[in-house]
Amino acid sequence: VQLQASGGGLVQPGGSLRLSCAASGSIGAINVMGWYRQTPGKQRELVADIGSGDSTRYKDSVKGRFTISRDNAKNTVYLQMNSLKPEDTAVYYCNANVRRRGGLRYSDYWGPGTQVTVSS
C-alpha cells in the first residue's frame, strides 16, 4: 500500500491550498484517513481526520479554516486549507488505516510528506 500526497507549496498569509492524498496498492478497505503535520523539533500532530462514515475531527486551531473530505471510490483524502497563517507552516503527512486485500487486520500507512509554507 502506498500513499502519495500532492498540493503543498508556498502561499501568502490568508491564502488557500488544497492537499490531496491517494492510496494505492492491494487495498481491501480503508477506515480512517487523516492529515498530520510536523515542524522541526516538535512531535507530529493531528490536523484532521475522517472516518469511513465521514465523521471528522479537527485540531482546534484549524477549525473553521480547514475542511477534510474523502472520495472512497478513489481512495483519496483531501484537505482544503483556507485563511492560512504562518503558524500553519509545516510538513504535512497523510495517513490511512488500511486493511489489505485478503487480510484481517488494519494497519497505518503514511505518505512521504509535503511542505506547506505560509509566508509573505
Side-chain angles (χ1 to χ4, degrees):
V1 175
Q2 299 85 37
L3 300 183
Q4 185 60 52
S6 61
L10 172 64
V11 64
Q12 292 186 341
S16 297
L17 283 175
R18 189 191 194 210
L19 305 183
S20 300
C21 177
S24 62
S26 182
I27 297 171
I30 301 178
N31 187 9
V32 179
M33 302 185 82
W35 291 95
Y36 291 71
R37 68 188 183 189
Q38 189 171 22
T39 54
K42 294 189 176 181
Q43 288 190 332
R44 193 172 297 186
E45 62 179 8
L46 175 68
V47 177
D49 64 16
I50 182 167
S52 57
D54 288 343
S55 60
T56 58
R57 295 189 301 173
Y58 292 93
K59 177 179 174 61
D60 284 347
S61 64
V62 309
K63 288 180 180 177
R65 300 188 297 122
F66 291 9
T67 302
I68 190 169
S69 61
R70 63 190 284 174
D71 184 333
N72 292 326
K74 296 181 179 179
N75 292 331
T76 299
V77 62
Y78 305 96
L79 186 68
Q80 178 65 44
M81 304 185 292
N82 299 328
S83 302
L84 282 160
K85 303 176 181 181
E87 51 263 43
D88 295 317
T89 296
V91 177
Y92 283 69
Y93 297 89
C94 61
N95 170 273
N97 188 243
V98 179
R99 177 176 60 78
R100 296 175 65 91
R101 193 174 299 129
L104 298 176
R105 297 173 57 188
Y106 284 82
S107 299
D108 279 334
Y109 293 87
W110 293 90
T114 184
Q115 177 70 45
V116 171
T117 302
V118 184
S119 175
S120 55

